[in-house]
Amino acid sequence: EDEKQKYIKGKKLGEGTYANVYLGHLRDSPSTLVAIKKIKVQKEYTEGMAPDAIRELKHLQELSHPNIISLLSVFSSKDQNLNLVLEFLPLGDLEMLIKDVDGVRYGAADIKAWMGMLTRAIWFCHENFVLHRDIKPNNLLIAADGEVKLADFGLARSFSDPYRVMTSNVITRWYRPPELLFGAKHYSGAVDIWSVGLVFAELVIRTPYMAGDTEVHQVNLICQAIGTPNEDNWPGVSKLPEYTVPEPPNPIRGRDHYLGTFGTAGPEGVDLLMKTLILDPRKRITAREMLEHKWWSSDPKPTRKEELPKKS
Ligand code: ADP
């Protein structure tokens, strides 16, 4: 209850879909900066805290890892709003670096370093039975020492109960895997792996790989870029509630196609990318398997975090 007395709220830093974010500092140590994220509580949840907000806290408080944003404190303000005190990470996010093609130059070793940090974050979430469910470059914040930190656990939830029906309307469309686009109600960590693969692809080509305008368009882009899901390459797919694919069907793209588009990641990098973008979630690589891939130890070695490019 005294938690809010420990922080002083400053100027507004930004506005997100379900929160306003303010700069803050410790009352007793004004040089210790924090970000205070004030969750907009939906009217329907007046008697308590918004379920999304509760989820964000639970998962964040339990997950302590160098590549996951740390939650320093939680308190509710007099207007019933929920305030999350987070590590202050003012150096922007991966999306800003990817987009600044003229100002920020980076190469294969840098991509390998960023992907290593993202993969370790997701491995840690999944080991702890947490799905992130909204991995995208804009949710990968950059710390002063170059460390990339996974943020925005608003949609995170535990998957400890595999039979619980889950909503398929999660994950920003461009990073959403085919099983969710087809309305699957039981899904796994594989949903995050697909998003990780698309972050990898985007780091290499510096533009979103599959930027659909609608869900139907997104499915069409997946069929074009990867291949058309069918009972041969994904047993059971045609039974999913919203399974529809465009005619004529496309065969699954081969290695040469990926080498042509993502060749700068090297053959091992392309191999790993292909395994993250397998249509059938049961065949898709897991975070643990990703960490065992030979790409990490092949040349070039990942850039040291202190030497990674930063926003100009
Ligand atoms: P979104 O993910 O839609 O950008 P957020 O609510 O996560 O929404 O954040 C809104 C803005 O607040 C961000 O774009 C960023 O500028 C700023 N912000 C969020 N978290 C932090 C943080 N930990 N440190 C510094 N700035 C932050």
Side-chain angles (χ1 to χ4, degrees), residues 13-17 19 21 35 37 69 87-89 138-139 141 152:
L13 289 172
E15 183 158 3
T17 12
V21 181
K37 190 164 178 174
I69 193 167
E87 254 182 291
F88 179 57
L89 299 171
N138 155 269
N139 282 340
L141 305 184
D152 231 337

Side-chain angles (χ1 to χ4, degrees), residues 10 36 64-65 71 120 182 191 205 210 239 252 257:
I36 301 178
S64 173
H65 185 276
L71 176 63
R120 290 190 292 276
F182 293 147
V191 300
I205 62 177
M210 296 189 257
K239 313 282 193 305
I252 301 292
H257 168 77

Side-chain angles (χ1 to χ4, degrees), residues 183-195:
K185 298 292 191 296
H186 302 282
Y187 52 82
S188 66
V191 300
D192 286 334
I193 299 297
W194 180 271
S195 310

Side-chain angles (χ1 to χ4, degrees), residues 3-15:
E3 279 299 307
K4 65 167 162 284
Q5 306 295 335
K6 282 169 47 181
Y7 302 95
I8 306 225
K9 194 165 88 180
K11 66 164 187 181
K12 189 159 155 182
L13 289 172
E15 183 158 3

Side-chain angles (χ1 to χ4, degrees), residues 193-224:
I193 299 297
W194 180 271
S195 310
V196 167
L198 286 174
V199 170
F200 188 6
E202 186 167 337
L203 279 166
V204 176
I205 62 177
R206 299 195 73 153
T207 192
Y209 185 41
M210 296 189 257
D213 298 323
T214 62
E215 292 192 15
V216 170
H217 187 211
Q218 193 66 35
V219 170
N220 290 354
L221 291 177
I222 291 172
C223 295
Q224 265 172 48

Side-chain angles (χ1 to χ4, degrees), residues 250-269:
N250 300 119
I252 301 292
R253 299 271 192 185
R255 191 167 300 266
D256 290 346
H257 168 77
Y258 289 91
L259 283 167
T261 309
F262 304 102
T264 54
E268 303 293 3

